[in-house]
Amino acid sequence: MPDFPPDFSPQNFLDSHFLNPDRSNLEDIRKLGYAFVDLIVDSVLDTQNQAFVQDESSLKLTIPEHGTKLTDLLAEVRSQVLPRTVNFQNPRYMGHMDSVPTAITIWADALISAINNNMLSYELAPVFTEMEAQLMQWFGNLFGMGTDCFGTLTAGGSLANISGLLLARNWKQPQSKASGNSSNLVAFVSDAAHTSFEKAMNVIGVGKENLVRVPTNYRGEIILEELESAIQKAIREGKQPFFVAAIAGTTVTGAIDPIQLVGEIAKRYDCWFHIDAAYGGAGIFTPKLKPLFQGCELADSMTFNPQKWLWVARTCAMLIVKDKQHLVDGFDGELPYMDAHTLNFGNLNLQGTRRTDSLKLWMALKAMGISGCRYLVERSLDLSDHLRQWIEDSPELDLVCEPTLNIICLKSNDPQLSSANLRQQWIDAGKLWLSLPLWKGDRILKAVVLHPYAG
Ligand SMILES: *Cc1c(COP(=O)(O)O)cnc(C)c1O
């Protein structure tokens, strides 16, 4: 790589950052790529035996007046930045819904950055627009959402949930797109549902206070009688129920609501039915869990994050809809500078510019195959079963509830040792990194067994 300063020259500078059309720096650019490959393999991936966090001190950034030699910059990242991150490669890290990405999706993400197409419109990304459309229909079919299903990739499950609620509002009160929302709408999710539903109620202007949190049982599954009586109470109070969600894989216990029955209640009260399968959706790949997804055909929309339980490098999440027309009507954006006759995802999405995450998702599916997805999902269920056995065999530990997925909730039953202190002991000893969620008023320990070599 050219060295600057002291020998700064515009040509050196340009050649450090872009491929020169005369190809004189082709090998330099290639070498930079190889240096990144070494950095990723040696300092990110090959860290299974290293601490959860090597350096807990804070980092003071400096932005220099003059550019930094790129090899020096990589060395600084290696020595100063990476030791301060949480090391998900350590198979004893099981804290949250963070997976180690499959190798293909790490490199695919770099490929996406190199192509740098924009999913705003067909003319900017023709092949990727088609790829995203076909993938969304494929996932819709996988969940049994019918022949008119469609969807869009989003920058996360929160955004997919927000989008679902917006579509629901605009379906129930089409005039609210133009004139704002009239205030008597009310939505229903369980008290174990993700906090993005509050965010969503804020964003769509219906307001957080109009989100009813329905009680769950000890495992975190919505109680159907409570749901129905909450809806009836809202109606008696002159409110208009418009949205009911079932959660497939709750954030703390990984519970799956009875999808079919929640869906039937939603339909009985003329509500939009949304399934938040951000985490649990990957369960569809195994016959062990597939029966729990019965009733998805009732859903008007569904959230699913391959970036969680399908090991796709972030970001990769989606909103699927039963009827493409709802996406068209719900967002109804205009792209005056684009050809209106083609499929433009910018019209079907809250985001404008988006990365071509479809390429990464398609490559992941293609590389693993459906049987590979099934294998990995079942493997993580088996590994979590080992953890569960270990807890059952440990007199000082209790299971909080019977797990549904590869999420195990436990607590200390030693009166002298709180779960919080136990957690810290385990982290300090390098034994396990678990999270400490609040569950039914208690701090408990949670393990999400995603690492394919967990344990
Ligand atoms: C993770 C998660 C979300 C939010 O997804 P993000 O990608 O973090 O925005 C929503 N719902 C459930 C059930 C989740 O597990």
Side-chain angles (χ1 to χ4, degrees):
M1 279 283 120
D3 209 355
F4 58 87
D7 61 339
F8 179 85
S9 78
Q11 199 53 58
N12 272 351
F13 181 81
L14 287 173
D15 282 353
S16 288
H17 294 284
F18 303 97
L19 178 63
N20 193 318
D22 73 9
R23 303 173 70 247
S24 58
N25 62 341
L26 190 66
E27 290 313 309
D28 285 338
I29 297 271
R30 193 190 305 280
K31 276 187 206 138
L32 177 65
Y34 290 153
F36 259 98
V37 170
D38 289 341
L39 178 69
I40 289 170
V41 172
D42 298 332
S43 302
V44 179
L45 302 184
D46 189 15
T47 57
Q48 315 90 310
N49 300 320
Q50 292 176 16
F52 298 123
V53 181
Q54 288 183 42
D55 182 349
E56 300 203 14
S57 64
S58 63
L59 176 70
K60 182 91 185 70
L61 289 185
T62 54
I63 309 295
E65 170 63 21
H66 300 292
T68 309
K69 193 176 158 191
L70 298 182
T71 47
D72 290 349
L73 179 54
L74 258 60
E76 186 179 340
V77 168
R78 184 192 302 260
S79 67
Q80 298 304 312
V81 180
L82 297 179
R84 290 177 160 91
T85 65
V86 181
N87 175 12
F88 295 157
Q89 295 292 330
N90 185 320
R92 294 162 185 276
Y93 170 86
M94 305 178 188
H96 296 277
M97 293 165 163
D98 305 296
S99 43
V100 284
T102 52
I104 189 79
T105 64
I106 298 172
W107 309 121
D109 215 50
L111 177 61
I112 290 167
S113 293
I115 301 169
N116 206 29
N117 272 180
N118 186 346
M119 294 310 299
L120 185 66
S121 70
Y122 188 89
E123 71 182 30
L124 293 174
V127 66
F128 298 121
T129 297
E130 284 162 11
M131 188 178 279
E132 183 162 338
Q134 289 177 41
L135 278 172
M136 294 302 92
Q137 284 163 336
W138 188 81
F139 274 100
N141 289 329
L142 183 70
F143 288 105
M145 288 178 70
T147 45
D148 296 327
C149 65
F150 203 69
T152 175
L153 292 172
T154 65
S158 299
L159 196 58
N161 283 343
I162 291 168
S163 306
L165 262 154
L166 181 65
L167 296 185
R169 186 202 74 171
N170 291 347
W171 160 78
K172 196 68 170 181
Q173 292 192 338
Q175 77 284 3
S176 61
K177 271 194 294 181
S179 57
N181 157 64
S182 63
S183 61
N184 66 344
L185 292 177
V186 58
F188 301 83
V189 299
S190 83
D191 63 16
H194 192 259
T195 50
S196 52
F197 288 104
E198 266 92 13
K199 244 185 223 176
M201 293 294 277
N202 176 3
V203 171
I204 68 169
V206 178
K208 293 196 246 185
E209 287 177 2
N210 293 309
L211 181 71
V212 175
R213 288 265 182 183
V214 179
T216 52
N217 65 18
Y218 77 106
R219 289 178 89 187
E221 297 156 352
I222 196 167
I223 299 172
L224 295 166
E225 299 73 33
E226 297 274 5
L227 171 61
E228 191 146 14
S229 65
I231 294 174
Q232 288 170 353
K233 178 164 177 278
I235 293 171
R236 280 198 305 277
E237 290 168 354
K239 294 182 176 155
Q240 192 180 15
F242 78 109
F243 176 95
V244 174
I247 315 302
T250 56
T251 310
V252 177
T253 62
I256 299 187
D257 287 336
I259 290 175
Q260 171 97 31
L261 299 174
V262 174
E264 285 169 5
I265 292 174
K267 295 293 134 185
R268 197 175 316 140
Y269 292 93
D270 201 23
C271 287
W272 182 277
F273 179 42
H274 177 79
I275 301 174
D276 181 0
Y279 187 81
I284 195 80
F285 285 101
T286 169
K288 293 179 184 170
L289 294 171
K290 194 171 177 196
L292 299 179
F293 289 86
Q294 207 186 329
C296 286
E297 66 279 2
L298 295 174
D300 298 293
S301 57
M302 181 188 290
T303 294
F304 173 49
N305 282 14
Q307 69 186 8
K308 286 180 167 173
W309 199 12
L310 220 44
W311 296 271
V312 175
R314 287 167 178 149
T315 55
C316 190
M318 67 183 76
L319 178 77
I320 312 168
V321 293
K322 191 214 294 289
D323 184 348
K324 182 180 174 191
Q325 197 56 40
H326 286 311
L327 267 189
V328 175
D329 295 344
F331 290 112
D332 200 19
E334 282 180 23
L335 296 175
Y337 29 84
M338 300 294 172
D339 173 1
H341 301 292
T342 47
L343 173 64
N344 295 319
F345 270 100
N347 275 337
L348 305 176
N349 212 291
L350 280 174
Q351 290 164 265
T353 296
R354 280 183 313 134
R355 283 165 62 78
T356 55
D357 286 328
S358 55
L359 177 58
K360 185 170 53 183
L361 178 57
W362 175 68
M363 288 177 75
L365 293 169
K366 190 91 176 157
M368 295 199 290
I370 295 169
S371 67
C373 296
R374 179 166 58 240
Y375 169 74
L376 272 185
V377 167
E378 291 183 350
R379 182 181 172 93
S380 65
L381 290 170
D382 290 345
L383 290 171
S384 65
D385 214 46
H386 291 161
L387 180 69
R388 187 188 108 149
Q389 278 303 326
W390 175 73
I391 293 161
E392 287 182 338
D393 295 343
S394 304
E396 69 284 6
L397 298 174
D398 280 339
L399 267 185
V400 169
C401 62
E402 202 50 35
T404 308
L405 308 176
N406 55 337
I407 299 178
I408 312 276
C409 290
L410 58 144
K411 59 184 179 187
S412 162
N413 69 13
D414 176 352
Q416 309 302 330
L417 184 62
S418 69
S419 291
N421 288 341
L422 179 61
R423 168 179 187 263
Q424 199 55 52
Q425 282 183 7
W426 282 350
I427 292 176
D428 294 344
K431 185 170 176 173
L432 277 178
W433 201 110
L434 305 184
S435 56
L436 188 72
L438 193 60
W439 178 240
K440 310 245 181 217
D442 250 350
R443 287 281 165 190
I444 61 161
L445 298 171
K446 174 173 96 163
V448 187
V449 186
L450 279 168
H451 198 300
Y453 295 96

